[in-house]
């Protein structure tokens, strides 16, 4: 289901995913994820991307995980980056920058403070280079706070 959610986020961000959707649906069906729209989507060919997008939206709704709007997609990406920081996966500096960028691009007033906090972390990283553990700990604390304040 996670792969389907990732495709939904990419679709919400206006990335071209139509040609990938029939194969993703077929793989989901083999993993036991099923809905009428997903079955129909799996039967489409690569050249039917417009129909694929419509069926994908239908199938995601049937599965209880509708395609988000752009703001929801950005929040999803921010949550993924924050969860990676908390788990110690990936480069915390790069992930902090990702959270900052998504918050700014959302143009959402309620995410302005999140953008400011992660920009502060990212911008101060070089100054804290000799204190990488402290910078990583600060990013982890900010990520945990973000996840608490913005649950899925």
């Amino acid at each position: 289901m996670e792969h389907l959610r990732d495709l939904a986020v990419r679709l919400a961000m206006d990335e071209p995913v139509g040609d990938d959707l029939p194969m993703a649906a077929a793989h989901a069906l083999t993993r036991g994820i099923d809905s009428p729209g997903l079955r129909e989507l799996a039967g489409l060919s690569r050249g039917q991307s417009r129909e694929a997008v419509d069926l994908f939206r239908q199938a995601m709704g049937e599965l209880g995980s509708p395609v988000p709007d752009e703001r929801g997609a950005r929040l999803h990406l921010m949550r993924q980056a924050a969860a990676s920081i908390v788990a110690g996966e990936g480069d915390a500096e790069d992930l902090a920058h990702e959270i900052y960028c998504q918050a700014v691009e959302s143009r959402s007033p309620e995410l302005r403070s999140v953008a400011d906090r992660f920009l502060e972390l990212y911008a101060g990283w070089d100054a804290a280079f000799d204190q990488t553990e402290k910078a990583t700990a600060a990013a982890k604390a900010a990520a945990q706070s973000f996840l608490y304040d913005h649950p899925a």
Side-chain angles (χ1 to χ4, degrees):
M1 189 68 188
E2 190 61 32
H3 181 63
L4 294 176
R5 280 192 208 101
D6 288 342
L7 286 168
V9 167
R10 289 178 51 205
L11 179 62
M13 302 291 288
D14 287 329
E15 291 183 27
V17 296
D19 286 342
D20 299 333
L21 298 176
M23 186 59 71
H27 286 293
L29 288 168
T30 64
R31 290 189 309 275
I33 300 167
D34 194 5
S35 81
L38 202 59
R39 279 183 250 130
E40 192 174 344
L41 175 58
L44 294 181
S45 62
R46 283 183 69 74
Q48 298 175 288
S49 62
R50 183 69 238 153
E51 296 90 343
V53 167
D54 293 341
L55 280 170
F56 180 71
R57 287 181 184 282
Q58 175 188 328
M60 291 304 286
E62 293 167 353
L63 294 168
S65 187
V67 174
D69 60 11
E70 182 182 346
R71 181 185 178 282
R74 289 190 187 285
L75 271 171
H76 177 81
L77 294 172
M78 291 167 67
R79 283 188 207 101
Q80 279 185 324
S84 292
I85 291 172
V86 170
E89 299 168 352
D91 183 277
E93 180 182 11
D94 290 343
L95 293 165
H97 186 255
E98 174 69 15
I99 294 169
Y100 160 73
C101 289
Q102 294 299 338
V104 167
E105 288 295 319
S106 76
R107 295 178 187 86
S108 178
E110 66 267 16
L111 293 178
R112 187 68 230 167
S113 64
V114 173
D116 291 345
R117 178 66 182 126
F118 282 92
L119 175 60
E120 177 185 323
L121 287 168
Y122 179 72
W125 212 277
D126 285 340
F129 186 73
D130 59 332
Q131 302 171 12
T132 303
E133 287 180 26
K134 280 179 124 176
T136 301
K140 188 174 189 175
Q144 287 171 326
S145 177
F146 171 75
L147 290 170
Y148 179 80
D149 293 341
H150 300 87

